[in-house]
Amino acid sequence: SQTIHQWPATLVQPVGSPLSLECTVEGTSNPNLYWYRQAAGRGLQLLFYSVGIGQISSEVPQNLSASRPQDRQFILSSKKLLLSDSGFYLCAWSVLGAATNQPQHFGDGTRLSIL
Amino acid sequence: AQKVTQAQTEISVVEKEDVTLDCVYETRDTTYYLFWYKQPPSGELVFLIRRNSFDEQNEISGRYSWNFQKSTSSFNFTITASQVVDSAVYFCALSGNNAGNMLTFGGGTRLMVKP
């Protein structure tokens, strides 16, 4: 069966520091991968998605970036965090291909607090 | 452009009551898929159901049921005999014709079930 792992679970970082959140998927090949952010008490905002290695699409311009160095690895990064980057970050995967619009499956999330 | 509206931001019920969570969507795609996810206090999103636009049959799974009405662009979710463990934020989402299998989420409805 497929599993998705995200780490760390919680993170406290000072303003201006770098960020690296990692997500890996097991049990499937060529998944679509996604990064979402959820501000406190709010809905989900899609940040990035990827349909293959090295292919990243950005949905919202910001100081975050994403990379997909391997088929089942998706990394969210920042060179300098802002206070507004605080939130709950969720990674998700789905089966490649839009023909049947398969559901996305989510990791446990990373709670990021910027001080 | 696609849009999902969950007009109820918070609902509070007493255990064993039935509760319906509303979802209204907008899309120009003729083929699309609708989803419901549950986000318990622990944070991860749990996939509940996927429904395609050609299948208007209602679905029942245990205490959960879903009513898809294409004529009113609604996909409502009913929990029968609610339990405290049903307390969570519930998200409705829509996916149309897009290469990345992306979802448009509603703002979520926070359900509180009191004992």
Side-chain angles (χ1 to χ4, degrees), chain A residues 32 34 36 38 41-44 46 49 51 59 88 90 94-95 97-108 111, chain B residues 32-33 35 37 39 41-47 50 89 91 95-103 105-108 110:
Chain A
N32 288 341
Y34 312 84
Y36 289 86
Q38 185 178 28
R42 307 288 294 277
L44 290 117
L46 178 65
Y49 72 94
V51 298
E59 290 296 298
F88 189 55
L90 286 154
S94 72
V95 172
T100 55
N101 294 70
Q102 294 295 314
Q104 293 180 18
H105 301 279
F106 288 79
D108 291 340
R111 215 162 287 280
Chain B
Y32 53 89
Y33 290 77
F35 304 79
Y37 285 85
Q39 186 178 38
S42 50
E44 77 280 14
L45 263 79
V46 178
F47 165 69
R50 177 183 71 135
V89 180
F91 290 96
S95 178
N97 291 326
N98 65 84
N101 195 24
M102 289 180 288
L103 294 174
F105 282 89
R110 182 177 299 276

Side-chain angles (χ1 to χ4, degrees), chain B:
Chain B
Q2 297 182 140
K3 187 178 178 182
V4 177
T5 302
Q6 294 179 255
Q8 307 147 308
T9 53
E10 265 190 33
I11 301 176
S12 182
V13 299
V14 177
E15 208 169 19
K16 297 185 184 176
E17 283 184 14
D18 298 347
V19 58
T20 296
L21 310 181
D22 297 334
C23 173
V24 174
Y25 62 92
E26 295 174 31
T27 181
R28 292 181 181 175
D29 292 333
T30 53
T31 302
Y32 53 89
Y33 290 77
L34 296 160
F35 304 79
W36 275 95
Y37 285 85
K38 174 182 180 180
Q39 186 178 38
S42 50
E44 77 280 14
L45 263 79
V46 178
F47 165 69
L48 296 178
I49 189 172
R50 177 183 71 135
R51 170 69 65 202
N52 76 54
S53 52
F54 297 109
D55 183 0
E56 288 194 68
Q57 276 193 335
N58 292 331
E59 181 154 341
I60 298 174
S61 176
R63 295 184 297 107
Y64 294 172
S65 62
W66 290 269
N67 184 338
F68 177 29
Q69 295 276 347
K70 211 166 176 179
S71 59
T72 56
S73 298
S74 65
F75 187 43
N76 296 339
F77 173 27
T78 297
I79 301 175
T80 304
S82 59
Q83 299 176 2
V84 173
V85 293
D86 295 326
S87 297
V89 180
Y90 291 86
F91 290 96
C92 180
L94 167 70
S95 178
N97 291 326
N98 65 84
N101 195 24
M102 289 180 288
L103 294 174
T104 299
F105 282 89
T109 297
R110 182 177 299 276
L111 174 65
M112 291 173 286
V113 182
K114 299 177 182 176

